[in-house]
Amino acid sequence: VVDPGTGPVARGNNWLECTQSLDAADIGYGYRYTKRLTLPPGRPELVIDHTLENTGRKVIETSVYNHNFFVIDGQPTGPDFVVRFPFELTADRDLKGFAAVEGRELRYTKELPAGTSIITLLTGYAPDARHHAFEIENRKVGAGVRLSADRPLSKLQFWSPRTTLCPEPYIDLSIPPGHADRWALRYEFYTL
């Protein structure tokens, strides 16, 4: 890392906001990135708001994603979990007999041993924010999490070792100089 940027952290009773600024004038890029995490009062939710402002002289064109590492009560990745999407799924590779795609669901057929993981690109989504969503449930402990976003998917990768389930939804950004873009992710936690 040549320049990690600078930025303050602000806090409130139910939120945390981090800002990072970087000016690489010698190559034409600059940005101000703000990420705000909010716990809405009285609701089992986490909202992550993102704003990326282009302060440079070149267009910022990139894909971004939020690393999702879901662990529910320390349960190992296996048949107690199901991952549900709002569209019919297609996996781009073999899931090694540990999971299978069935309609709108990715279901585990057996527990993943230590040192083993599955990874695939999932397709079938439309260019519509309603498809940028998923649910992960663990039937053994009776708990789940639901993600929804306000931007369409550009790519959906799914990675899973024994310890976590990681849907990685990407969005594309193209921000001209002097402009900004924003997107939000909402995580709702629930019991079955």
Side-chain angles (χ1 to χ4, degrees):
V1 175
V2 176
D3 183 349
T6 60
V9 175
R11 292 175 178 84
N13 287 337
N14 66 328
W15 59 272
L16 174 75
E17 185 174 277
C18 305
T19 300
Q20 180 191 41
S21 296
L22 182 73
D23 183 8
D26 56 327
I27 59 171
Y29 290 103
Y31 66 82
R32 185 180 332 6
Y33 172 60
T34 302
K35 186 175 195 175
R36 183 180 182 113
L37 290 81
T38 304
L39 298 171
R43 296 178 10 210
E45 294 180 355
L46 167 65
V47 178
I48 305 176
D49 290 296
H50 308 259
T51 303
L52 182 60
E53 180 184 354
N54 186 346
T55 61
R57 62 180 193 280
K58 290 185 178 178
V59 174
I60 295 175
E61 293 200 50
T62 190
S63 295
V64 297
Y65 70 97
N66 208 52
H67 251 318
N68 291 306
F69 290 91
F70 291 101
V71 178
I72 297 179
D73 284 357
Q75 296 297 302
T77 305
D80 292 324
F81 280 99
V82 64
V83 186
R84 192 173 300 110
F85 296 86
F87 53 88
E88 299 288 318
L89 298 171
T90 303
D92 80 333
R93 64 191 78 173
D94 178 28
L95 300 175
K96 304 177 185 177
F98 293 107
V101 169
E102 299 173 3
R104 296 175 179 221
E105 296 181 342
L106 187 145
R107 293 186 166 274
Y108 289 86
T109 55
K110 57 186 169 184
E111 197 170 291
L112 272 75
T116 302
S117 67
I118 58 172
I119 188 167
T120 186
L121 289 176
L122 297 172
T123 57
Y125 52 86
D128 183 319
R130 291 176 297 163
H131 278 193
H132 191 159
F134 60 81
E135 297 173 345
I136 296 175
E137 295 178 350
N138 183 288
R139 291 190 177 97
K140 180 179 178 182
V141 299
V145 59
R146 180 179 299 113
L147 172 125
S148 58
D150 61 359
R151 297 288 294 269
L153 290 165
S154 63
K155 181 171 119 177
L156 179 57
Q157 182 169 281
F158 188 88
W159 174 68
S160 183
R162 176 181 174 78
T163 55
T164 184
L165 291 82
C166 308
E168 298 174 338
Y170 287 70
I171 65 168
D172 287 338
L173 298 174
S174 181
I175 308 169
H179 290 83
D181 204 348
R182 59 147 309 279
W183 63 101
L185 306 173
R186 177 176 301 275
Y187 298 86
E188 299 173 66
F189 305 94
Y190 58 93
T191 55
L192 305 180

